[in-house]
């Protein structure tokens, strides 16, 4: 079966300020590549500044394809921005046919399909079985995306022993 090429390159970067900052690159098949830029101290499985790969299940890949078919990337603005401090932001990068576009989101006023797609990607990434890899990864979605500076380590305090 000759599968339709959904994109030449598609990736997504996400930062929620409190627990994770990552980029995920989708391939033409079921493999995804992830750069974990930063993870909170409460994450016991992922390490900051590490690369991973994972395999999408058939239903996950079908959902990805259905999002990509529905998305009208050419019609979206390149930036949906509201000035607020907390929350999260994310960025889509698509390269397909003659379209090469980055869409930056830091707003709640965005097309529903963009919001749904972004939340779906974040949810899927949490469920994937990640295998650490030693490969350099490049992401189009990091163009205007600044991974957070890593907060200073927490100072451990040991109270003196009472005699």
């Amino acid at each position: 079966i000759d599968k339709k090429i959904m994109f030449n390159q598609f990736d997504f970067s996400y930062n929620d300020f409190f627990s994770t900052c990552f980029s995920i690159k989708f391939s033409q098949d079921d493999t995804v590549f992830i750069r974990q830029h930063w993870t909170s101290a409460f994450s016991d499985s992922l390490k900051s500044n590490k690369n991973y790969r994972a395999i999408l299940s058939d239903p996950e890949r079908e959902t990805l394809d259905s999002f990509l078919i529905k998305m009208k990337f050419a019609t979206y603005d390149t930036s949906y921005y509201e000035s607020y401090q907390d929350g999260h932001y994310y960025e889509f990068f698509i390269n397909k046919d003659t379209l090469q576009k980055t869409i930056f989101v830091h707003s709640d006023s965005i097309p529903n399909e963009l919001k749904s797609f972004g939340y779906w990607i974040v949810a899927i990434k949490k469920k994937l079985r990640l295998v650490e890899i030693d490969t350099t990864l490049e992401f189009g979605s990091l163009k205007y995306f600044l991974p957070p500076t890593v907060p200073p380590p927490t100072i451990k305090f040991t109270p003196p022993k009472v005699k």
Side-chain angles (χ1 to χ4, degrees), residues 4-40:
K4 184 179 182 315
I5 300 288
M6 302 300 286
F7 52 83
N8 300 335
Q9 183 180 345
F10 177 67
D11 61 65
F12 174 86
S13 291
Y14 176 84
N15 180 16
D16 76 359
F17 294 103
F18 301 110
S19 64
T20 190
C21 178
F22 69 88
S23 297
I24 183 169
K25 179 186 291 241
F26 295 87
S27 67
Q28 297 298 336
D29 57 20
D30 56 1
T31 306
V32 295
F33 299 95
I34 294 165
R35 172 71 174 175
Q36 188 68 40
H37 303 291
W38 177 81
T39 191
S40 91

Side-chain angles (χ1 to χ4, degrees), residues 71-89:
M71 302 301 282
K72 296 173 181 59
F73 283 107
T75 66
Y76 299 130
D77 289 338
T78 54
S79 180
Y80 294 90
Y81 180 79
E82 286 176 52
S83 182
Y84 54 82
Q85 292 298 315
D86 60 350
H88 56 268
Y89 59 91

Side-chain angles (χ1 to χ4, degrees), residues 37-48:
H37 303 291
W38 177 81
T39 191
S40 91
F42 302 107
S43 171
D44 48 351
S45 55
L46 298 178
K47 299 182 202 105
S48 296

Side-chain angles (χ1 to χ4, degrees), residues 39 95-96 98 116 142 160:
T39 191
N95 179 343
K96 180 184 181 191
T98 59
S116 299
L142 288 176

Side-chain angles (χ1 to χ4, degrees), residues 100-116:
Q100 182 169 326
K101 189 166 191 177
T102 304
I103 301 168
F104 179 81
V105 177
H106 186 257
S107 171
D108 291 323
S109 306
I110 62 171
N112 277 335
E113 58 273 14
L114 271 181
K115 189 182 293 188
S116 299

